[in-house]
Amino acid sequence: MLTDTPVRLGVQLKPQHVTYPQLRDAVRHLEDLGVDILFNWDHFFPLSGDPDGLHFESWTMLGAWAEQTERVEFGALVNCNSYRNADLQADMARTIDHISARGGEGRFIFGTGSGWFERDYDEYGYEFGTPGTRLDDLAQGLARIEARWAVLNPAPTRKIPVMIGGGGEQKTLRLVARHADIWHSFVRPDGLAHKLDVIERWAEKEGRDTSGLVISNELERRDESVADALYDGGTRMFTLGFGGPDYDYDLVQSWLRWRDAKNGVGRR
């Protein structure tokens, strides 16, 4: 697994209980602070608080972020494969990749997963199925997405990084071994080595080299001792769930200082 790269901090702006101008301002401020990546999530209703509160859709927001931002990478943490045709997902990702390019490569990260929030499915008319059928659909979708990227004109500006979220050992981690550039999870430090061993064993069966896989994990409601242990286990991308409208930018700055200390960089 890739451990010789700098630590990066991604902030997941929760697209709930805020107005879009508040989200837009938060994007601008977080980029100015120096975060590396911005994420939203791909749902249609709030995941906490008032279940019928304010909420915004993921992909249209990502298109706006592609135009608004200049430096940060960005994406969904994570896209739901069930909600859109796989070839359409590939085309949307390629287009956002181009929108975000500033005379060079794009900055879009294609984070994806199989879906889990039943209300989304029920109210928007998607078949919920079972965890197994949704994972099977994700496996088929990822193959179609990669095939579509190979024939789109124009092609993506770079190999769009694929981030897969989840920790299931029989299906999800096999998909990580087969497709992912980034693996994201909420696995605790004491469970990380086992999960990485599972990925490596699947990678051997898939005939794929995963030595460049970036390990990602979550910081929300965790302290530096946990982050240190995740770092020692090989994690190099850290995400922070971040809700408004009363955004706590001091919290982000504290994690930026931690990131910079790990990278041997002074921060004022």
Side-chain angles (χ1 to χ4, degrees):
M1 308 303 165
L2 200 60
T3 58
D4 58 352
T5 59
V7 171
R8 292 193 293 164
L9 177 65
V11 174
Q12 183 188 44
L13 278 167
K14 301 176 182 181
Q16 61 178 17
H17 309 311
V18 294
T19 66
Y20 193 77
Q22 289 170 325
L23 279 169
R24 183 189 298 114
D25 289 346
V27 166
R28 181 177 62 251
H29 192 55
L30 290 166
E31 184 172 43
D32 289 345
L33 283 178
V35 303
D36 300 293
I37 310 160
L38 291 173
F39 293 110
N40 61 17
W41 66 40
D42 188 20
H43 294 288
F44 304 131
F45 302 95
L47 299 185
S48 61
D50 179 1
D52 296 313
L54 300 174
H55 197 277
F56 292 97
E57 193 275 330
S58 172
W59 278 87
T60 45
M61 187 188 308
L62 294 174
W65 290 6
E67 192 64 59
Q68 177 185 349
T69 59
E70 297 288 335
R71 177 191 55 79
V72 291
E73 290 190 289
F74 63 96
L77 186 64
V78 290
N79 167 70
C80 178
N81 177 71
S82 304
Y83 301 159
R84 302 160 195 89
N85 171 281
D87 292 85
L88 175 61
Q89 292 177 56
D91 206 339
M92 293 163 69
R94 181 279 311 257
T95 300
I96 290 177
D97 166 69
H98 276 265
I99 294 170
S100 68
R102 297 291 184 267
E105 293 184 340
R107 295 172 285 118
F108 181 68
I109 294 172
F110 182 67
T112 194
S114 59
W116 62 271
F117 190 38
E118 190 168 3
R119 184 184 180 189
D120 285 347
Y121 288 80
D122 291 345
E123 295 213 24
Y124 277 61
Y126 300 109
E127 182 180 350
F128 189 54
T130 67
T133 60
R134 294 194 299 275
L135 280 165
D136 290 343
D137 289 344
L138 177 61
Q140 296 172 17
L142 283 164
R144 287 173 56 188
I145 286 163
E146 292 176 348
R148 181 59 57 186
W149 279 340
V151 298
L152 284 170
N153 184 19
T157 67
R158 64 173 181 169
K159 182 190 181 300
I160 296 174
V162 173
M163 177 175 68
I164 297 176
E169 297 181 9
Q170 294 305 309
K171 290 189 175 184
T172 301
L173 295 187
R174 185 167 194 171
L175 292 177
V176 170
R178 185 183 301 165
H179 297 283
D181 303 290
I182 305 165
W183 170 52
H184 180 78
S185 78
F186 297 84
V187 173
R188 292 181 55 82
D190 58 6
L192 193 56
H194 169 71
K195 296 292 187 182
L196 293 177
D197 182 64
V198 172
I199 292 172
E200 289 183 359
R201 285 189 273 115
W202 278 127
E204 290 177 3
K205 292 184 178 182
E206 293 289 334
R208 182 167 180 252
D209 178 10
T210 55
S211 61
L213 183 69
V214 174
I215 310 306
S216 172
N217 210 301
E218 174 63 33
L219 293 172
E220 189 176 11
R221 295 184 294 276
R222 289 172 164 178
D223 59 23
E224 287 192 8
S225 66
V226 177
D228 288 340
L230 289 168
Y231 176 87
D232 292 342
T235 305
R236 290 298 180 269
M237 179 185 292
F238 292 84
T239 64
L240 177 65
F242 197 54
D246 298 319
Y247 294 110
D248 182 3
Y249 293 108
D250 290 341
L251 176 63
V252 175
Q253 289 182 306
S254 71
W255 283 115
L256 287 170
R257 287 191 291 270
W258 179 86
R259 175 201 69 182
D260 290 347
K262 290 298 184 189
N263 291 337
V265 177
R267 187 174 183 85
R268 301 179 68 181

